[in-house]
Amino acid sequence: MVPAEKKHREWMGLALAEAKRALDTDDVPIGAVVIGPDGAVLGSGRNQREALGDPTAHAEVVAIRQAADRLRGLSVQGGGTGDGWRLADCTLVVTLEPCAMCAGAVVLARIPRVVFGAWDEKAGAAGSVFDVLRERRLNHWVEVYAGVREEECSALLREFFAGHRSQL
């Protein structure tokens, strides 16, 4: 069996690849993947706020929507009774600590684990500014694995914002 830490690092590589794709549309380079219980990718996403003109098009939300669609489709094809929106036994892997909106989506989707790379000291909701994912007053709690390939994730964001500041 592969140790969780090694799997998290590998999965973060997939999220980093998604984050780099966001650069094509001048979106902030944040990427996410939803990993199913069997280790397969159920959904992937990157920030698409600029590309779509949608303030909710964060990498996590895009990946969660895709995973839910896929699970719903698998349920219909296989005759299962799954509703698609409960992502039980899945893992969300994202390059930046989720914001309050994305953390709320994780809780509502019943995702039990979140793995993230860089901390977001200004808007993070997994321990930095807020801790929505482990808020005991909510009906679902999430295991959080922070700082996975943190330097790579942080460097991608630093380079992006440095480039934007130099254009001003």
Side-chain angles (χ1 to χ4, degrees), residues 10-127:
E10 290 172 11
W11 294 339
M12 188 60 73
L14 300 173
L16 279 161
E18 280 295 321
K20 290 173 185 170
R21 290 181 60 208
L23 295 169
D24 295 339
T25 56
D26 206 31
D27 275 286
V28 177
I30 299 169
V33 291
V34 175
I35 306 296
D38 62 354
V41 175
L42 292 176
S44 60
R46 63 191 176 281
N47 269 11
Q48 293 182 288
R49 293 185 310 166
E50 298 296 331
L52 300 177
D54 179 354
T56 69
H58 288 207
E60 301 94 300
V61 172
V62 172
I64 289 168
R65 287 177 179 159
Q66 191 177 95
D69 284 346
R70 184 150 183 220
L71 286 177
R72 191 170 34 259
L74 290 173
S75 179
V76 169
Q77 292 170 0
T81 58
D83 51 29
W85 70 265
R86 287 182 184 87
L87 301 181
D89 296 325
C90 291
T91 302
L92 173 70
V93 182
V94 60
T95 57
L96 181 67
E97 177 184 5
C99 69
M101 176 184 71
C102 294
V106 167
V107 169
L108 293 173
R110 308 296 194 271
I111 296 173
R113 279 170 304 287
V114 169
V115 176
F116 72 84
W119 290 93
D120 185 348
E121 299 296 332
K122 293 182 180 180

